[in-house]
Amino acid sequence: MVDWLLLAEASGRRVPHRLLPSLLMLAEAKSSVAEHLHPAIGTRGRWLQDLTAGGADPRPAMTTDWAELNSADATTELERRRRSNPAAARELLVTHWDTLGARERAAHLATLAANLRADDEELLERALDDTAKSVREVAAALLDRLPESARAVRMAARLRPLLRFKGLLRKQFEIDLPPEPDAAGLRDGIAPAPRSGEPDRLGRLDAIIRGAPLDVWTTAAGRTPGASVALLKGEPRALETIVTTAALRADLDWVRALLDVRTDLRLLNCLPAAEREDTLVRHLRGGTANPWTLVQPLRDMPRPWGRPLAEAVLEQINAKNGGQLATMLADTLPAALPPEAAEQARRLLEHPDADAARRRVLRDAVQYQSFRQSLTEAFQ
């Protein structure tokens, strides 16, 4: 259906009026169809779409005062404003801050995640002193995404003394565990010692790493992000926290360096689509990752895939035990293969193969390509 809608758009055609109700019902169940309804449904289709939706604006009806909205609607409206005018939305929240309950402060503060900016720091620093733990936690999590903030500078000062090197010929980072936090550390979100039991010193280290700028590592190592990552092989937990931090900040230098040693959906999603596709091809052909770990990234890629990615996936499917990968991609592969990859799938089908599941997926892909070719010709 998506192919039909795209071809209709490209040729300037419109969906026949008698089919509009059925198509709109299908779009309610399939988001991929809903995304491509316009302009193929035309003016009448848009009218019918508004009619079936009741003509209602999904946003809450605004009153003369944002503060008069109930809590959930106020959060939704604040997030909407945040996307269109971040500074004005923040100032609105600051104006009403002292009148809000703890739950509202936490929920409204979280909307700053949309278009988070350096000039949000003042409010977030204020929120670190909030009486409610939930508000302080939201503030700390948002400040983790601002590596040039004052809190990041404070976290860097805590992290540097913990970093040492071991090894004469092949140096590696060795990371000490942090001491119990002082009052300033507690304010910045480092967990205090529990009333009973051992303190979570690894959790404290995670909090410090998340809050500090990533260039602490490159400065300490005197090396590039890629070379610094290589020094962290003996510190898997710290490396995992760095992965989380790099993905959260979409720091492309670190994302690229980490993708050389780790296949991670969060990192892949930070890359531009074309670069993400090239990275997937490299991982598939370089054997740096189990192909099954790439199933979700492959499903998330724009379709159809480029020819190099399609060929790399088909090579993996044709390899020993590739039938399981084929089965996991059964709902994706037919529409994801570009027309020029169809011949490769046909050739694979010509070989004797006892794996019935693999043959079924390849057959579906070939049949889909044939259908898409016929559909394309019909619109010409």
Side-chain angles (χ1 to χ4, degrees), residues 97-117:
W97 185 263
D98 292 332
T99 68
L100 301 171
R103 182 178 299 179
E104 292 172 314
R105 293 197 303 276
H108 297 348
L109 188 67
T111 65
L112 267 61
N115 289 324
L116 187 66
R117 298 146 47 108

Side-chain angles (χ1 to χ4, degrees), residues 39-88:
I41 60 174
T43 303
R44 180 169 296 192
R46 290 192 293 273
W47 170 80
L48 184 60
Q49 189 178 34
D50 290 340
L51 187 65
T52 55
D57 188 334
R59 298 192 301 267
M62 282 301 297
T63 64
T64 56
D65 188 349
W66 172 80
E68 294 180 15
L69 294 171
N70 65 49
S71 179
D73 287 348
T75 300
T76 301
E77 174 61 19
L78 190 65
E79 184 172 12
R80 184 187 68 81
R81 295 189 184 195
R82 180 71 186 177
R83 296 186 185 282
S84 59
N85 192 335

Side-chain angles (χ1 to χ4, degrees), residues 231-287:
L231 300 179
L232 283 160
K233 290 182 179 178
E235 296 286 349
R237 177 155 176 165
L239 186 60
E240 174 61 29
T241 306
I242 290 173
V243 167
T244 300
T245 304
L248 194 63
R249 297 175 186 170
D251 186 318
L252 289 182
D253 287 340
W254 276 87
V255 163
R256 292 176 179 125
L258 290 162
L259 279 168
D260 285 338
V261 299
R262 180 79 64 89
T263 303
D264 189 289
L265 180 59
R266 296 167 297 172
L267 297 173
L268 285 166
N269 285 341
C270 293
L271 298 175
E275 186 177 351
R276 187 160 72 245
E277 184 161 318
D278 290 342
T279 302
L280 284 170
V281 172
R282 189 174 75 247
H283 281 245
L284 282 164
R285 289 188 164 150

